[in-house]
Amino acid sequence: MPRWLVPAALVIIALGIGDTVYLTIAHYTTPVLLSCPDTGIINCAKVTTSSYSKILGIPVALLGLIFFLGNLPLHLPAAWRSPSVLVRRLRLAASASGILMVFWLLYVELFRLNAICLYCSTAHVLTLLLFIVTVFGTVLTSQG
């Protein structure tokens, strides 16, 4: 396994935690986000305050935070060294669940709300990167 793989995953997760902590705080305090326009196609307030900003009463931002926090132990060096097939599958399933959520949220942003949130897009890109690193790492650690 390349030496950069685990640090890359952990950096992606740390950035994801930072982004989703900010979005969660903004959800519970104010819909006005730093450096994000509130008119036109780029409209964080429209996205983060829409009816789609919660699933079963849980803010999507908080779900994103839970996603990144839940992936953290699965991407620690000890987890990558684990010979357990269960750990490998759980790590892959956890990162794939994020991709499924990203597809749904992109659909909502593009076709339901006609607005994009820059901070949400950051979380989407980080989720995609984590998935790519996870798949790559899983393939490499499965060989042998």
Side-chain angles (χ1 to χ4, degrees):
M1 179 169 47
R3 299 181 98 185
W4 58 264
L5 193 126
V6 173
L10 294 177
V11 166
I12 292 166
I13 290 170
L15 292 171
I17 289 170
D19 184 52
T20 55
V21 161
Y22 179 71
L23 283 167
T24 301
I25 291 169
H27 176 87
Y28 286 111
T29 58
T30 176
V32 178
L33 301 174
L34 290 176
S35 303
C36 189
D38 59 0
T39 58
I41 189 76
I42 306 296
N43 190 333
C44 293
K46 184 176 182 181
V47 173
T48 61
T49 60
S50 75
S51 62
Y52 296 100
S53 68
K54 291 182 182 179
I55 296 176
L56 299 174
I58 303 169
V60 171
L62 181 57
L63 293 173
L65 178 57
I66 292 167
F67 167 79
F68 285 110
L69 288 172
N71 268 281
L72 180 59
L74 296 169
H75 287 82
L76 292 173
W80 281 105
R81 287 191 303 268
S82 173
S84 172
V85 174
L86 179 62
V87 170
R88 191 174 311 132
R89 288 181 181 165
L90 187 58
R91 180 174 42 243
L92 196 54
S95 66
S97 71
I99 291 298
L100 293 175
M101 180 63 90
V102 164
F103 286 152
W104 166 249
L105 294 173
L106 284 174
Y107 167 76
V108 166
E109 285 182 273
L110 295 173
F111 301 107
R112 296 288 183 174
L113 299 175
N114 299 314
I116 299 289
C117 169
L118 296 177
Y119 292 95
C120 304
S121 295
T122 299
H124 300 165
V125 168
L126 291 169
T127 300
L128 176 62
L129 290 174
L130 183 62
F131 178 71
I132 290 168
V133 168
T134 302
V135 168
F136 186 69
T138 300
V139 167
L140 291 176
T141 57
S142 298
Q143 296 173 353

